[in-house]
């Protein structure tokens, strides 16, 4: 390979055009060149190291001028210029010389912008690339009223920081880490700042508290004072360790500091000594990972509302409802004082598991109870209630959304009728499979003036909203002691659950139309009509008041 790459003489000739001269090789055998780069209206001494095999990008270093900003993006304290993110630039190994010149141009451009105090956003993006250490899992939300406590510190090599220990214990249980104890000698500190974190020139990350406070002072002097005050207070209360979580507009980040409690001294002397010891204390950055429910739920759908805080009733925990229940929990159902009601009077039979979310381990259990148990294992803080009864026996007052995943048209119509008779209206999403897995369909009735499932057919059963062109195939299976059933694979139920979950998310975010949506699942069939709304029929026996 290396024989085909650019030779040193060619590279030397090319760099000489920019005023760079050869200055020997480094320990890796890379040729080194020295010269200057023009940036921000001045020349800056620079060095460039070139990998003649073209496997790595040239390394460019500059002498940072004394009047440079205290914090600069893409320029390390050693003067290394990061002009291309790894993986975004591939060197042409057949033109090392030309590529090196292009890299020098990019480096000069980055230096120019950095010296002018531009690209601050990049600094923020870079922050977490250079702030890492022990793992710290943050279960801290805006609603928790408890002071921060630290669980499991050191025992597993990582810490859980929480402002609701009961909630966090549930999560630890789900993670197989039950029995975690609150570390009484560890002080948890949370400080809120208005500044997004950015690395600073000089030794990075800050090796001790004095440097950390100096850095924070540049970012947000108020936060700096608060950090110092809280650390001193922890030290005065003879805590051994302080874990500090800084909540910034960009993200939360954390570090820990060992504290040495003061000895018997006069109060004034004690404070002075405490401050001296604190400044010298080592700062251990922590790699943090947020596990608070709101963050976990919303990080995959940024700027979208989730089901957190809503009361949702899922009627039918069969083949569609099982998968749908799981998707609803992933979308925040049951969190944040919300509730997910699972309603189904039937049991899961062993032959059902071929297309059910649940497996043989829960066969012969009631579907609602078993699904609740299964979902709670993965989402221990979700408020899920199981109702192993018919929907008519459940008090649905206060429910924000009713999801009918029974796939039984008669039951859907009956439910509509009984709610209308009771003078109640609950936004309802009905989801079902058409024929032997040919299509999946869902109808949203978000307001009383919208049509219901019965409004979709005329008096004599004529379909007003046909699913496919032509006739729906009629396939049944089952023999012997099994009752007849419509065969379709689990994938069809998953598709139905996905359609429903997407429509729920749209409804939460104000998108309700088209209210009748159809996805053709089986190949070889054409959708008969476009997705549309279903007008309410005056004489509908189900929804008329
Ligand atoms: Zn109707």
């Amino acid at each position: 390979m290396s024989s085909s790459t650019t030779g040193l003489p060619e590279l030397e000739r090319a760099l000489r055009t920019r005023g760079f001269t050869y200055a020997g090789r480094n320990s890796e055998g890379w040729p080194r060149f020295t010269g200057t780069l023009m940036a921000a209206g001045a020349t800056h001494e620079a060095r460039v190291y070139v990998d003649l095999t073209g496997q790595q990008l040239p390394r460019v270093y500059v002498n940072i001028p004394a009047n440079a900003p205290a914090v600069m993006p893409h320029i390390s304290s050693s003067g290394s210029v990061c002009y291309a993110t790894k993986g975004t630039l591939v060197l042409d190994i057949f033109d090392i010389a030309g590529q090196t010149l292009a890299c020098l141009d990019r480096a000069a451009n980055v230096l120019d912008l950095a010296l002018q105090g531009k690209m601050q956003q990049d600094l923020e993006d870079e922050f977490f690339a250079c702030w890492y250490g022990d793992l710290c899992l943050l279960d801290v939300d805006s609603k928790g009223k408890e002071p921060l406590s630290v669980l499991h510190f050191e025992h597993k090599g990582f810490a859980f920081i929480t402002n609701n220990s009961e909630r966090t214990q549930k999560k630890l249980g789900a993670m197989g880490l039950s029995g975690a104890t609150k570390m009484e000698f560890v002080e948890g500190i949370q400080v809120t700042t208005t500044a997004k974190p950015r690395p600073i020139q000089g030794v990075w990350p800050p090796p001790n508290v004095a440097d950390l406070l100096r850095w924070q002072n540049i970012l947000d002097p108020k936060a700096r004072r608060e950090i110092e005050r809280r650390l001193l207070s922890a030290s005065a209360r003879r805590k051994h360790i302080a874990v500090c979580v800084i909540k910034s507009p960009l993200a939360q980040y954390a570090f820990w500091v060992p504290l040495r409690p003061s000895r018997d001294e006069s109060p004034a002397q004690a404070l002075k000594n405490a401050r001296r010891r604190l400044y010298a204390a080592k700062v251990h950055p922590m790699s943090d990972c947020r596990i608070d429910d709101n963050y976990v739920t919303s990080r995959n759908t940024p700027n979208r509302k989730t089901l957190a805080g809503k009361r949702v009733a899922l009627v039918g925990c069969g083949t569609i409802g099982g998968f749908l229940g799981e998707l609803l929990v992933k979308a925040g159902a049951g969190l944040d004082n919300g509730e997910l009601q699972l309603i189904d009077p039937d049991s899961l039979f062993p032959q059902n598991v071929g297309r059910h979310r649940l497996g043989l381990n829960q066969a012969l259990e009631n579907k609602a109870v078993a699904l609740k148990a299964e979902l709670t294992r993965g989402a221990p803080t979700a408020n899920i209630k199981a109702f192993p009864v018919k929907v008519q026996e459940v008090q649905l007052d206060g429910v924000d959304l009713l999801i009918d995943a029974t796939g039984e048209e008669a039951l859907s119509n009956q439910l509509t009728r009984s709610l209308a008779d009771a003078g109640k209206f609950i936004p309802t999403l009905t989801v079902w499979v058409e024929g032997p897995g040919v299509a999946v369909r869902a109808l949203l009735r978000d307001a009383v003036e919208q049509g219901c499932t019965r409004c979709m057919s005329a008096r004599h059963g004529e379909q007003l909203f046909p699913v496919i062109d032509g006739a729906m195939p009629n396939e049944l299976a089952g023999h012997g002691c099994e009752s007849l059933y419509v065969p379709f694979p689990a994938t069809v139920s998953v598709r139905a659950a996905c359609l429903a979950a997407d429509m729920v998310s749209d409804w939460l975010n104000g998108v309700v139309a088209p209210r009748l949506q159809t996805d053709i699942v089986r190949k070889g069939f054409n959708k008969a009509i476009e997705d549309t709304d279903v007008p309410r029929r005056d004489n509908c026996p189900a929804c008329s008041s």
Side-chain angles (χ1 to χ4, degrees):
M1 278 290 278
S2 60
S3 61
S4 65
T5 57
T6 310
L8 181 58
E10 194 187 337
L11 182 63
E12 232 182 309
R13 265 195 306 279
L15 281 167
R16 207 177 298 132
T17 64
R18 301 293 177 89
F20 277 78
T21 53
Y22 180 64
R25 292 187 182 243
N26 73 359
S27 57
E28 294 162 275
W30 291 23
R32 182 166 79 110
F33 298 85
T34 55
T36 57
L37 289 180
M38 268 300 284
T43 55
H44 306 275
E45 282 184 35
R47 313 184 294 288
V48 56
Y49 299 84
V50 184
D51 174 11
L52 285 177
T53 68
Q55 301 303 303
Q56 293 185 54
L57 294 173
R59 292 182 199 138
V60 182
Y61 292 83
V62 292
N63 288 354
I64 299 171
N67 61 349
V71 183
M72 283 195 293
H74 306 303
I75 317 286
S76 79
S77 55
S78 61
S80 163
V81 183
C82 170
Y83 56 86
T85 312
K86 204 176 175 196
T88 60
L89 199 74
V90 177
L91 270 183
D92 179 358
I93 60 166
F94 302 105
D95 182 21
I96 301 290
Q99 298 283 315
T100 301
L101 295 184
C103 290
L104 270 182
D105 290 343
R106 289 177 77 145
N109 185 247
V110 166
L111 181 64
D112 186 58
L113 293 170
L115 287 172
Q116 293 182 57
K118 294 181 179 165
M119 298 195 296
Q120 295 300 303
Q121 172 67 41
D122 294 27
L123 271 179
E124 291 151 10
D125 295 342
E126 282 178 354
F127 177 75
F128 289 98
C130 53
W131 188 268
Y132 51 86
D134 290 339
L135 183 61
C136 153
L137 295 117
L138 303 173
D139 191 17
V140 180
D141 64 10
S142 54
K143 300 216 169 67
K145 293 284 179 276
E146 287 175 28
L148 290 194
S149 53
V150 180
L151 304 170
H152 239 301
F153 196 65
E154 287 182 329
H155 177 62
K156 288 265 179 186
F158 52 79
F160 281 87
I161 300 176
T162 179
N163 60 355
N164 182 334
S165 357
E166 191 192 331
R167 179 189 63 210
T168 304
Q169 289 286 6
K170 283 185 186 172
K171 294 183 184 179
L172 287 166
M175 293 168 76
L177 298 168
S178 48
T181 45
K182 188 174 158 184
M183 302 310 223
E184 296 296 343
F185 61 88
V186 182
E187 173 93 342
I189 295 172
Q190 188 178 25
V191 174
T192 303
T193 175
T194 53
K196 295 177 181 176
R198 298 167 305 184
I200 187 179
Q201 243 56 52
V203 185
W204 185 261
N208 54 44
V209 172
D211 286 326
L212 179 119
L213 293 174
R214 208 169 295 134
W215 165 52
Q216 285 292 324
N217 202 43
I218 294 172
L219 294 175
D220 177 3
K222 218 173 132 210
R224 174 233 188 266
R225 286 193 295 275
E226 180 68 1
I227 295 167
E228 180 170 5
R229 187 184 70 77
R230 301 285 300 274
L231 289 173
L232 282 171
S233 155
S235 168
R237 282 177 291 111
R238 303 188 161 270
K239 298 284 183 177
H240 297 195
I241 290 171
V243 178
C244 189
V245 178
I246 310 214
K247 216 178 140 196
S248 83
L250 181 66
Q252 297 183 123
Y253 56 104
F255 58 88
W256 68 274
V257 174
L259 300 170
R260 279 187 297 152
S262 50
R263 295 182 196 85
D264 297 331
E265 295 152 327
S266 71
Q269 195 64 31
L271 182 63
K272 197 177 154 206
N273 287 343
R275 205 179 288 270
R276 187 175 46 76
R277 277 194 296 266
L278 177 64
Y279 286 176
K282 189 169 157 49
V283 170
H284 300 262
M286 303 179 90
S287 299
D288 68 286
C289 163
R290 283 180 65 179
I291 60 165
D292 56 290
D293 291 329
N294 274 334
Y295 173 72
V296 171
T297 305
S298 61
R299 67 188 289 269
N300 299 306
T301 52
N303 307 317
R304 300 261 298 173
K305 286 183 187 148
T306 70
L307 279 172
K310 297 284 182 199
R311 288 168 64 93
V312 180
L314 175 62
V315 186
C317 301
T319 179
I320 300 174
F323 294 111
L324 181 52
E326 175 151 53
L327 293 178
L328 296 175
V329 168
K330 303 272 182 218
L335 297 178
D336 213 2
N337 292 322
E339 184 178 283
L340 176 61
Q341 303 181 354
L342 302 175
I343 304 166
D344 200 316
D346 296 335
S347 296
L348 179 76
F349 285 100
Q351 68 269 31
N352 294 152
V353 304
R355 66 177 187 197
H356 203 282
R357 166 63 183 78
L358 301 175
L360 211 48
N361 56 320
Q362 283 170 303
L364 303 180
E365 289 179 39
N366 169 270
K367 287 177 184 173
V369 172
L371 186 61
K372 179 206 150 134
E374 175 69 7
L375 297 179
T376 304
R377 266 192 282 279
T381 52
N383 175 23
I384 304 175
K385 293 212 166 75
F387 295 86
V389 295
K390 289 181 176 168
V391 62
Q392 291 84 350
E393 295 168 43
V394 180
Q395 182 61 258
L396 293 169
D397 286 339
V399 167
D400 297 306
L401 180 67
L402 182 69
I403 302 177
D404 177 357
T406 59
E408 293 172 35
E409 196 181 340
L411 191 143
S412 305
N413 293 340
Q414 193 186 16
L415 190 56
T416 308
R417 186 66 257 160
S418 57
L419 284 169
D421 286 344
K424 286 184 202 166
F425 175 78
I426 304 171
T428 302
L429 182 78
T430 309
V431 55
W432 65 97
V433 172
E434 286 284 356
V438 170
V440 296
R441 236 177 188 192
L443 175 71
L444 174 68
R445 187 167 178 238
D446 57 304
V448 72
E449 55 273 17
Q450 295 297 328
C452 74
T453 45
R454 186 64 178 79
C455 291
M456 290 173 61
S457 47
R459 191 124 61 110
H460 302 294
E462 178 206 344
Q463 279 248 13
L464 301 173
F465 298 87
V467 186
I468 50 168
D469 292 332
M472 182 65 78
N474 189 10
E475 292 168 20
L476 286 174
H479 53 82
C481 58
E482 273 191 306
S483 54
L484 292 177
Y485 64 96
V486 182
F488 55 82
T491 50
V492 175
S493 310
V494 172
R495 299 276 292 266
C498 291
L499 174 65
D502 282 339
M503 286 177 72
V504 168
S505 174
D506 283 343
W507 167 76
L508 283 166
N509 289 281
V511 177
V512 288
R515 292 171 172 85
L516 174 63
Q517 298 190 19
T518 307
D519 283 345
I520 300 293
V521 176
R522 213 202 262 192
K523 302 244 183 322
F525 291 90
N526 292 321
K527 198 161 152 174
I529 55 162
E530 285 305 307
D531 292 342
T532 183
D533 284 350
V534 172
R536 190 176 175 190
R537 290 164 63 80
D538 290 339
N539 53 354
C540 173
C543 68
S544 60
S545 45

